[in-house]
Amino acid sequence: AQKITQTQPGMFVQEKEAVTLDCTYDTSDPSYGLFWYKQPSSGEMIFLIYQGSYDQQNATEGRYSLNFQKARKSANLVISASQLGDSAMYFCAMRGSGNTGKLIFGQGTTLQVKP
Amino acid sequence: DSGVTQTPKHLITATGQRVTLRCSPRSGDLSVYWYQQSLDQGLQFLIQYYNGEERAKGNILERFSAQQFPDLHSELNLSSLELGDSALYFCASSPRGGFHEQFFGPGTRLTVL
């Protein structure tokens, strides 16, 4: 069965510093996709970044980068130069098996950015 | 703004009632997904439609049903509501043939009293 694990329930980071949010996954499918979403206190789910299992390079989107280590089955999110607005819940998700885009989510990590 | 719209934003109802949640995907997106977010279960996939056809089913209760209409909007029907159905219900959409993007609507917060 496919599974996503986020072991950090809560994290603190100082403003302007970088932070890494951990995500490990388990799947037997050779083809899969990994996503990160941000959920601020207002509740919406904001798509941040995507990494495909066959992508040769780590995905980057502005201040977000995904540290993809296939052999270790990890897909950590790195946020550079943290801002106060980065305070939110962050979810790692994996696209399920088969010809479907359904997502399996981890339990989330709450990030608080300190001024 | 993701381009996915959901109505209503909030819904308060009583046990045993039936409600309908509505979702309009981003323009051009053919896939619609429904997810439930609750404190005890986290974020769970419920069901996916692609161009009007059911594509995948997750942990969706028999009391729940969904459909996607010819104009691609989707509705999630929840019946015989129980206290435990209180949750945030998200709709998401992704483009044709594209599983590398999935954009979420703002959600409908359902409270069952």
Side-chain angles (χ1 to χ4, degrees), chain A residues 35 37 39 43 99-101 103, chain B residues 35 37 48 55 90 99 102:
Chain A
F35 298 72
Y37 286 87
Q39 187 176 40
N99 188 23
T100 166
L103 297 180
Chain B
Y35 294 87
Q37 185 178 30
Q48 177 198 358
R55 174 65 67 90
F90 285 108
F99 292 146
Q102 194 167 130

Side-chain angles (χ1 to χ4, degrees), chain B residues 86-102:
Chain B
S86 295
L88 188 50
Y89 291 84
F90 285 108
C91 168
S93 73
S94 63
R96 174 184 184 147
F99 292 146
H100 58 284
E101 294 176 300
Q102 194 167 130

